[in-house]
Amino acid sequence: MSAPTDAAAPGPVRAIVAPRPADVAAARCAAWGACSDLVASPHDVDVRAALAARLGSFDALPHGAGLAALAEELARADEARLRAEYSGLFEVGSEGPPVPIREDLQTGQLAGTREDIVRFYDFFGYRLDDRFAWAPDHLSVELEFVHFLCYREAQQDDDVLSYVLAQLDFAERHLLRWVPALAGATATHAAGSLYARVVAGLADFIRADHAWQQSTVGPAGP
Amino acid sequence: MSFTTDRRRFAQGLAAASGAALSMRYGVAAAAGDAATPAYRSFEDLLRNKWTWDRVARGTHGTNCAGTCAFNVYIRNGIVWREEQQGMYAPSGDAPDYGPRGCQKGLRHAKYMYGPQRILYPMKRVGGRGEGRWERISWEQATTEIADRFLDLATTEGPQCVTYGSGTQMSVKLASSAGLFRFANITGVTVPEFYSGVGDLPTGVYMTLGQVYTGDVMAAVYKARCVLVWMSNPAATRIPDAHFFWEARYNGTKLVAISPEFTPTAMHCNHWLNPKPGTDTALAMSMVHVILDEGLYDAAYIREQTDLPLLVRLDNGEFLREEDLTLVGRLAVRENVYYLWDEATGGIVQAPGTGLAEKPAGRERRRHGSLDLGAIRPALEGRWTVETLDGPVEVTTVFARLVERAAAHAPEKMQPVTGLAPAVVRKVARMFAAVKPAMIYTGYAACKWQHGDMLQRAMLLMVSLTGNVGVEGGGLQFGNAPRTRGVAGFAMADIGPAMRMVSSTTWDYDHGDFRALNERIYGRELADTYDRYYRASLREDWFPDYSDRGWKMAFFAGENAASWRAGNNQWRKEAFDRLRTIVVLAPDMGVTALHADYVLPIAHHYERADVMLQSRIPYVQVLDAAVPPLGESVDDWEANRRLAEAISRRARERGLGAVRDEVDGRSVRRDYARTLDWYTMGGRIRSAKDVVQYVLNTTPGVPKVSFAELASRGIVRVDHSDSTLWEHAGSPYHNDVVESVRNKRPYETFTGRQQFYIDHEWFLEFDEALPAHRDPLRIDGFPLQMLMGHARHSIHSMWRDDPLLLSLQRGEPDVYVNPGDAKARGVADGDLVRVFNPGGEFYALAHVSAGIQPGMIFSYHGWDPMQHRTRNNFSAVVTSAGLIKPTTMAGDYGHLGYRALAFAPNQTYRDFTCNFERAADQQLGRRPAAQASA
Ligand code: SF4
């Protein structure tokens, strides 16, 4: 990976200004993977088994406690109930799903939303399987992408700054822009439901993680 | 904020930090350290690489817009991002070419296909019908449960109580239609044909010409010297082809728009005539009168091609036939021998082309005899006494009777009816008759009036009297349709004909108890009268009787029946809601799916392989699958294959043996365990592409290309399409009328000619032997006729809910009202109004427009009930579904009698009135979906 020239990068040049050890990246990698599973469709993925295999993924993170409990609850939940609740909220409905779990639909199909996501994916070589290619803006997919970026950061054998900055920018350009609204819409439609709590927990997690990330990145020194 | 990891707990769940686990379900990653991955420093880096496409596919929109526009569909990362018109059309003759083609709906599709309305997974209802509570289920669960429900009925009550309805979305996609018909042919389900069900069957054309296909390519408009654009609004509804009208006008052609409301088309025409709603036949007959009265007709043409010189008995109004004259004729019941008065010999003579075929109707007829008059000089007018077996009888000609009938419709006499100044009517009639070729370009709205058949007969009189039928740039331009051998052949291959196709109109009349609707709306006398004739037709076996079949289960594919069915409230209550099982196969949600028990997700236009043939342009158009179907949707072929697989599997698992069935008197053995085997022709047909190839190979007039080649080219020119007229027997479209005109072949009518006079006993009884104006029906106390028309911003309900297209309108359903009518009701533009009559009510915004006459309201159609407050749309006030006009169920008369897709009564969508009032906000149950999501 070649280093960018300053002239090519508009705006302030950013750098890592606080430690981001590999084990933190690994912990975050695991947590974001579990986040992706939390909102994966139980019709497409055996969510209970997936989460059971990832129990503990949030434990290392100070802001992961809420999701850790929810992951355990999901892993133990009745599968039929999970499927019914998930699809009834996010996948099927009389005028489309009550709470579409795709960014493009939550944000009103604005021009450029999906293109920006796909450009992120392409840039970092994250290529969707044919089956899911049509939904790059699905929350579970976006979270998997963050999981992937964290993984690359954790490997530390590459241009770490690229993956750090991409995480920050992807959160700001996408996750933070729509997941809180998704949490609000889910709560409106199914207050107190398991998935309303999951999405609310995710919104909190995204915000907390972003705050931490911001604390590690700042203007590059002179 | 500090962020430290709890190493002990972390280690329990994960490998050591250095071994962070990558676990991905949706994506695959490029290898770490991939040299191709550049550094990222800010989001601008994402934009440095030029956006490129993985593939450009060919496609169009498989909806019944009649556009069939060739598009390039741009794909990257498995997503369709945009589409662009593929402008590579050649012209027909010296007319302008057909490209580039497109409209704003088509150019929205790349966005719309990813919209929230999209059905992505099989769904099963978990709440009450229409309550909107669903669960996603697997295809296997869905098809297994549906198959069981089907088999329960098929093996006990018979498959005929299960319908498989389809609509215009289906009909234009030939492979999809072929698959559906094959499924129906194998399973024995009933297929209600929607042609008459939506009130689009040109029965008046059929009565006159013995077939319904009279349309040419759109470039024919350019060849006309005068065009009456009547019951049609091409500026809004035929966007890719409307340019032919404007180019014709630049070229000197006179355009005359005829519509009660001022349309986007009218503003481009030389003249606009605005008859009162439902008085078009009066206007047409007024112009017929002018043409006759002023001698503007083509005598040679009508002598040869029409029944106008045929002799009619004055004592009983019937044609003079051989059975009147000779014992042989009477014993042989030679009803189809007709006579002329020959001025050359001063006596009667058998009309050429009559009496030669065994069957008085059908293609057989065309092979016998000729219309060539030879030395005969048929008289057009006069009275003569003829010796018959019953004694001397005075006879005259159809022409003479027509002169009388038309005189009763003289413009001056019709002025109170039409509201049109006689001088204007005369001027337009003369303008029309003065040039050749002259054309009436008409839409299907004529068929939706109860007496639309007489309007079409009158229109045909205008074009026939002036010698324009069967002439390039002339005639009555309806639609044409491809010869169905490819589709029908596929449906029946290896099986033979075992399908049940029924008339939707009579099916609904029986199952929706429309006699009761007629009585409630139009009174007992009308209801009893119509019902008496209806029953008589069934008793005489002129039309099939479906009343004993029951209706227990229904599939709906490619249609949104609960949105548009006339008499909707009655139909919903008496028929639809009583179905035990409703299965909807659709790409988008709509009111029909809302009320279903199972909804199966269907691939959209860019996600499927298919082929389209639309007679308005001389090209075969491909639908190539640009991307795989979204979610778990599949194309119609595959959906039916999965159903067939489940039926086979469950029949075997349940140990069901073959059952005996009877279709049209033929015994049929249905072995449901073999459904899949039959459906796939023993595995030979594996996908929709194979069906397309079959259809391409077997449809006449279509170049024999492979699917791959068609997919690479997008469009391929069909055979024999050099002129703007479908004139060649080798073309894919019907050319029978041209053939009759040019080669003097008899028509497929009882008289073997263009038949304007029908002496069937019911026609005589109702005084409809010749066309005449009838006042449209009204509902007492409700002053406003409601008219509807196709919309600019949707194709039926397809794209109706697209947010961008809604933003180009008023954002939600509206109805157009006259300023005076609005003022009288205290309604201002943009107010919410309640439109109501005894049938029901719906809410919409008032669109106050001076283009609307007093005494009418107008609604563009296609608004789904789900877009309206209270979830009722225009169909709530359409009360006319039971108006089955007796003469459209006549039979035992040559070409008249039930003939699927040709002669059947239309469901009536006019002939009712309503009222409107300002609605108070508190009357509103809910905001429409579109507004809410905006
Ligand atoms: S919707 Fe029809 S008219 Fe519009 S672009 Fe598509 S094919 Fe052409």
Side-chain angles (χ1 to χ4, degrees):
Chain A
M1 187 178 277
S2 59
T5 65
D6 286 351
V13 176
R14 295 175 295 175
I16 297 171
V17 296
R20 288 179 68 121
D23 60 347
V24 171
R28 289 178 61 250
C29 169
W32 284 107
C35 286
S36 175
D37 283 345
L38 277 170
V39 285
S41 171
H43 296 269
D44 297 330
V45 172
D46 184 349
V47 168
R48 295 183 314 156
L51 287 170
R54 289 186 191 268
L55 285 181
S57 296
F58 295 104
D59 294 356
L61 308 181
H63 51 271
L67 288 183
L70 285 164
E72 282 186 31
E73 190 178 341
L74 238 83
R76 286 196 312 271
D78 174 63
E79 189 182 15
R81 179 195 151 203
L82 279 187
R83 287 182 168 208
E85 193 178 307
Y86 187 94
S87 61
L89 268 172
F90 301 130
E91 294 186 319
V92 295
S94 299
E95 293 165 16
V99 190
I101 197 161
R102 286 171 41 209
E103 180 180 352
D104 196 36
L105 300 184
Q106 277 294 330
T107 53
Q109 291 193 285
L110 296 176
T113 299
R114 287 181 308 158
E115 181 186 327
D116 198 72
I117 294 168
V118 166
R119 282 183 180 271
F120 263 113
Y121 294 176
D122 277 359
F123 193 94
F124 289 99
Y126 174 72
R127 185 97 193 172
L128 286 175
D129 182 87
D130 282 353
R131 198 172 148 219
F132 302 105
W134 63 276
D137 55 331
H138 192 289
L139 179 55
S140 187
V141 176
E142 290 191 3
L143 297 174
E144 182 177 279
F145 176 61
V146 181
H147 159 74
F148 163 71
L149 293 176
C150 291
Y151 171 78
R152 280 290 164 81
E153 181 191 349
Q155 287 188 310
Q156 302 263 315
D157 59 357
D158 209 336
D159 173 18
V160 169
L161 182 59
S162 283
Y163 298 106
V164 167
L165 295 179
Q167 288 170 52
L168 193 61
D169 288 355
F170 191 75
E172 289 173 2
R173 293 175 71 78
H174 295 286
L175 296 173
L176 283 168
R177 285 196 184 172
W178 75 284
V179 180
L182 177 76
T186 314
T188 301
H189 272 89
S193 69
L194 182 49
Y195 277 106
R197 287 182 284 127
V198 164
V199 181
L202 269 174
D204 290 342
F205 184 85
I206 290 164
R207 275 190 290 255
D209 187 83
H210 175 254
W212 173 78
Q213 287 199 72
Q214 277 186 313
S215 73
T216 67
V217 173
Chain B
M1 178 181 176
S2 75
F3 188 178
T4 55
T5 59
D6 179 331
R7 288 175 189 278
R8 184 182 58 77
R9 294 183 63 195
F10 178 59
Q12 291 170 354
L14 284 177
S18 58
L22 181 64
S23 162
M24 300 209 288
R25 311 193 180 289
Y26 311 108
V28 289
D34 184 341
T37 306
Y40 176 90
R41 291 298 178 267
S42 73
F43 80 91
E44 288 90 343
D45 290 331
L46 303 174
L47 307 173
R48 295 191 199 289
N49 283 340
K50 188 178 173 195
W51 185 266
T52 54
W53 307 112
D54 297 337
R55 192 165 83 89
V56 180
R58 308 290 200 185
T60 187
H61 311 108
T63 183
N64 196 18
C65 53
T68 320
C69 310
F71 271 81
N72 287 327
V73 182
Y74 293 84
I75 307 140
R76 176 173 169 142
N77 289 42
I79 294 173
V80 175
W81 297 91
R82 63 187 290 263
E83 57 274 280
E84 186 176 71
Q85 292 148 290
Q86 184 193 341
M88 45 176 261
Y89 293 91
S92 295
D94 59 357
D97 71 41
Y98 299 88
R101 308 176 63 72
C103 79
Q104 81 283 34
K105 282 90 67 187
L107 286 159
R108 267 300 279 180
H109 191 65
K111 198 82 168 182
Y112 187 77
M113 64 188 274
Y114 295 101
Q117 84 296 334
R118 192 64 201 272
I119 300 165
L120 297 166
Y121 309 102
M123 304 188 334
K124 182 179 180 182
R125 173 173 65 82
V126 290
R129 276 214 182 126
E131 210 179 279
R133 290 176 47 221
W134 303 96
E135 65 173 330
R136 174 180 166 183
I137 59 174
S138 67
W139 268 98
E140 188 185 356
Q141 181 187 344
T143 52
T144 302
E145 291 181 14
I146 293 166
D148 273 332
R149 288 175 181 228
F150 168 74
L151 287 168
D152 289 346
L153 289 168
T155 54
T156 54
E157 302 182 42
Q160 69 275 8
C161 68
V162 181
T163 58
Y164 204 139
S166 70
T168 52
Q169 288 285 331
M170 179 65 63
S171 66
V172 294
K173 294 189 282 267
L174 298 190
S176 300
S177 298
L180 186 154
F181 289 143
R182 186 164 181 83
F183 181 85
N185 200 30
I186 294 163
T187 56
V189 297
T190 297
V191 178
E193 56 85 9
F194 60 87
Y195 203 0
S196 62
V198 298
D200 273 3
L201 191 61
T203 47
V205 175
Y206 181 81
M207 289 171 182
T208 310
L209 301 176
Q211 53 119 316
V212 293
Y213 305 111
T214 64
D216 299 307
V217 293
M218 284 301 290
V221 168
Y222 183 78
K223 307 294 278 189
R225 306 313 303 147
C226 179
V227 184
L228 307 188
V229 188
W230 203 336
M231 295 248 169
S232 180
N233 183 15
T237 64
R238 305 300 314 277
I239 291 170
D241 291 311
H243 64 93
F244 287 114
F245 290 90
W246 324 143
E247 285 153 352
R249 194 178 160 199
Y250 279 126
N251 199 33
T253 300
K254 295 279 187 241
L255 299 183
V256 182
I258 303 177
S259 56
E261 75 282 9
F262 188 66
T263 64
T265 301
M267 74 175 72
H268 295 289
C269 291
N270 301 77
H271 301 279
W272 169 47
L273 300 188
N274 59 336
K276 292 178 187 172
T279 65
D280 301 81
T281 310
L283 172 59
M285 289 301 287
S286 286
M287 292 200 269
V288 167
H289 168 75
V290 175
I291 292 166
L292 292 170
D293 193 42
E294 300 186 12
L296 305 176
Y297 52 89
D298 182 337
Y301 180 95
I302 61 177
R303 280 191 172 104
E304 178 187 88
Q305 293 288 320
T306 74
D307 67 346
L308 295 177
L310 295 186
L311 297 179
V312 176
R313 294 169 59 136
L314 282 167
D315 59 344
N316 61 12
E318 295 180 7
F319 281 115
L320 185 70
R321 291 185 165 86
E322 187 181 19
E323 60 184 358
D324 297 324
L325 302 178
T326 72
L327 221 43
V328 174
R330 184 162 290 185
L331 291 174
V333 200
R334 299 244 296 175
E335 296 176 299
N336 61 343
V337 177
Y338 302 83
Y339 295 91
L340 307 165
W341 186 267
D342 183 11
E343 289 174 336
T345 60
I348 65 168
V349 59
Q350 182 177 333
T354 69
L356 292 165
E358 279 295 306
K359 271 169 69 178
R363 303 192 66 78
E364 193 61 23
R365 179 61 176 266
R366 311 184 63 78
R367 286 196 266 276
H368 294 275
S370 165
L371 298 175
D372 194 348
L373 291 168
I376 303 170
R377 281 198 4 243
L380 284 177
E381 288 187 90
R383 288 191 178 204
W384 306 273
T385 301
V386 174
E387 275 305 322
T388 71
L389 294 176
D390 307 319
V393 167
E394 203 175 359
V395 296
T396 187
T397 60
V398 172
F399 184 89
R401 300 207 75 160
L402 176 65
V403 168
E404 288 169 24
R405 173 59 57 99
H409 291 79
E412 294 72 18
K413 291 181 183 158
M414 289 295 103
Q415 184 176 12
V417 174
T418 62
L420 296 173
V424 174
V425 175
R426 286 183 179 277
K427 177 179 169 181
V428 170
R430 287 176 195 135
M431 184 194 301
F432 182 79
V435 293
K436 240 179 182 176
M439 170 188 289
I440 297 178
Y441 182 91
T442 187
Y444 291 92
C447 315
K448 297 180 196 298
W449 288 93
Q450 186 191 190
H451 295 291
D453 59 327
M454 290 207 282
L455 172 56
Q456 287 161 5
R457 292 167 69 196
M459 287 174 165
L460 276 165
L461 270 170
M462 289 180 64
V463 283
S464 185
L465 284 170
T466 51
N468 279 299
V469 175
V471 170
E472 184 174 18
L476 184 67
Q477 291 290 326
F478 247 107
N480 208 319
R483 299 172 208 272
T484 56
R485 266 174 273 162
V487 171
F490 182 83
M492 293 174 198
D494 303 347
I495 310 167
M499 191 172 86
R500 301 183 155 90
M501 182 173 278
V502 302
S503 147
S504 282
T505 310
T506 55
W507 178 272
D508 282 355
Y509 185 86
D510 279 337
H511 295 95
D513 192 10
F514 285 172
R515 201 214 72 84
L517 176 67
N518 280 346
E519 180 170 345
R520 186 157 62 86
I521 304 296
Y522 301 103
R524 177 139 195 201
E525 190 183 337
L526 179 144
D528 282 347
T529 303
Y530 278 36
D531 197 60
R532 196 167 63 247
Y533 283 93
Y534 179 84
R535 305 275 157 224
S537 178
L538 303 188
R539 214 170 33 247
E540 295 288 340
D541 213 16
W542 295 346
F543 273 71
D545 185 355
Y546 313 127
S547 57
D548 59 346
R549 289 196 184 175
W551 192 14
K552 304 287 168 50
M553 178 173 179
F555 294 85
F556 295 96
E559 70 166 337
N560 191 2
S563 177
W564 53 258
R565 236 26 182 244
N568 205 330
N569 287 348
Q570 174 89 4
W571 182 78
R572 292 264 289 266
K573 182 160 71 78
E574 295 295 332
F576 188 67
D577 291 348
R578 293 188 179 190
L579 290 166
R580 283 188 212 160
T581 304
I582 300 172
V583 181
V584 167
L585 299 89
D588 303 308
M589 279 306 290
V591 70
T592 314
L594 176 70
H595 286 83
D597 303 304
Y598 296 91
V599 179
L600 301 179
I602 295 299
H604 235 312
H605 307 305
Y606 299 155
E607 305 154 33
R608 56 195 302 152
D610 217 311
V611 65
M612 293 178 67
L613 270 176
Q614 291 267 12
S615 65
R616 293 307 196 185
I617 60 166
Y619 287 87
V620 190
Q621 168 70 50
V622 76
L623 278 99
D624 190 13
V627 291
L630 268 55
E632 293 191 354
S633 62
V634 297
D635 62 44
D636 289 280
W637 160 264
E638 174 63 16
N640 286 322
R641 193 199 65 76
R642 292 180 185 195
L643 286 169
E645 185 279 326
I647 290 169
S648 294
R649 173 167 44 82
R650 290 301 296 144
R652 277 197 306 276
E653 289 167 358
R654 290 168 60 170
L656 299 176
V659 293
R660 282 263 151 235
D661 191 11
E662 192 182 298
V663 179
D664 298 335
R666 278 173 285 112
S667 180
V668 177
R669 183 173 176 274
R670 302 205 189 268
D671 182 355
Y672 289 115
R674 295 199 60 199
T675 304
L676 179 64
D677 200 30
W678 286 120
Y679 183 71
T680 61
M681 297 188 194
R684 294 202 308 281
I685 304 292
R686 289 151 303 162
S687 71
K689 281 186 188 170
D690 291 341
V691 188
V692 173
Q693 194 63 62
Y694 188 105
V695 171
L696 287 173
N697 293 347
T698 54
T699 300
V702 172
K704 302 305 168 233
V705 294
S706 67
F707 180 85
E709 186 183 348
L710 182 61
S712 80
R713 290 165 65 182
I715 52 174
V716 173
R717 186 97 179 198
V718 301
D719 296 340
H720 305 292
S721 54
D722 302 333
S723 84
T724 67
L725 188 70
W726 293 118
E727 58 189 336
H728 197 286
S731 85
Y733 299 100
H734 296 83
N735 72 326
D736 312 81
V737 173
V738 181
E739 167 92 350
S740 292
V741 172
R742 292 212 178 142
N743 300 328
K744 308 182 195 301
R745 292 266 180 235
Y747 293 78
E748 296 175 26
T749 57
F750 205 6
T751 59
R753 292 154 172 267
Q754 295 178 29
Q755 184 164 352
F756 295 103
Y757 192 82
I758 299 173
D759 65 341
H760 185 282
E761 59 190 285
W762 288 6
F763 282 71
L764 293 170
E765 207 174 320
F766 285 94
D767 192 20
E768 293 183 9
L770 286 167
H773 165 72
R774 298 280 183 270
D775 286 332
L777 293 182
R778 310 181 66 83
I779 303 174
D780 285 346
F782 294 85
L784 308 173
Q785 285 276 359
M786 181 166 149
L787 304 189
M788 286 169 284
H790 285 175
R792 185 194 291 273
H793 296 294
S794 73
I795 301 298
H796 303 150
S797 51
M798 170 73 61
W799 299 301
R800 222 1 168 172
D801 53 349
D802 178 80
L804 181 78
L805 296 174
L806 282 169
S807 76
L808 302 174
Q809 308 166 70
R810 298 223 164 171
E812 62 173 292
D814 55 358
V815 290
Y816 288 65
V817 297
N818 171 267
D821 288 337
K823 192 172 175 199
R825 291 162 177 80
V827 168
D829 186 63
D831 281 352
L832 188 77
V833 293
R834 183 176 82 99
V835 181
F836 60 98
N837 69 9
E841 62 178 27
F842 70 96
Y843 291 87
L845 298 185
H847 194 136
V848 178
S849 166
I852 301 297
Q853 291 190 24
M856 68 173 280
I857 67 173
F858 181 89
S859 169
Y860 285 113
H861 92 168
W863 297 112
D864 189 287
M866 291 169 70
Q867 295 181 276
H868 287 258
R869 293 158 166 93
T870 73
R871 288 197 164 165
N872 278 307
N873 68 352
F874 54 86
S875 65
V877 300
V878 180
T879 54
S880 47
L883 294 176
I884 295 186
K885 178 176 169 163
T887 47
T888 59
M889 286 195 67
D892 193 22
Y893 181 91
H895 59 304
L896 301 191
Y898 179 58
R899 200 171 151 198
L901 306 174
F903 190 63
N906 275 306
Q907 211 160 79
T908 302
Y909 286 79
R910 300 289 188 270
D911 291 276
F912 66 90
T913 48
C914 55
N915 205 346
F916 70 91
E917 65 181 13
R918 193 166 186 279
D921 286 350
Q922 56 270 30
Q923 282 180 270
L924 310 180
R926 57 187 295 282
R927 298 168 70 215
Q931 196 186 52
S933 64

